[in-house]
Amino acid sequence: MVAYFPVEDVDAALARAEQLGGTRVLAPVDTPVSRIAVFADPDGNRVGLVRR
């Protein structure tokens, strides 16, 4: 399961997560309704980002 959090800029939020130790799981991609990305935190939990 992935919990998605709304952000203003998916690319910037993913870059920040990676700087803090996250690992990219799904590169930013446009969907028909938004832009999303997924990263894993240092414990392996997957976190989704979605453009507001």
Side-chain angles (χ1 to χ4, degrees):
M1 180 193 320
V2 177
Y4 282 84
F5 294 90
V7 296
E8 293 294 328
D9 184 334
V10 169
D11 298 83
L14 180 60
R16 182 68 176 143
E18 290 175 319
Q19 289 173 350
L20 295 171
T23 304
R24 184 180 301 218
V25 174
L26 174 68
V29 62
D30 291 317
T31 71
V33 295
S34 192
R35 184 167 179 82
I36 64 169
V38 178
F39 70 92
D41 70 14
D43 292 324
N45 301 299
R46 291 184 177 202
V47 179
L49 304 169
V50 60
R51 182 178 57 216
R52 292 183 203 214

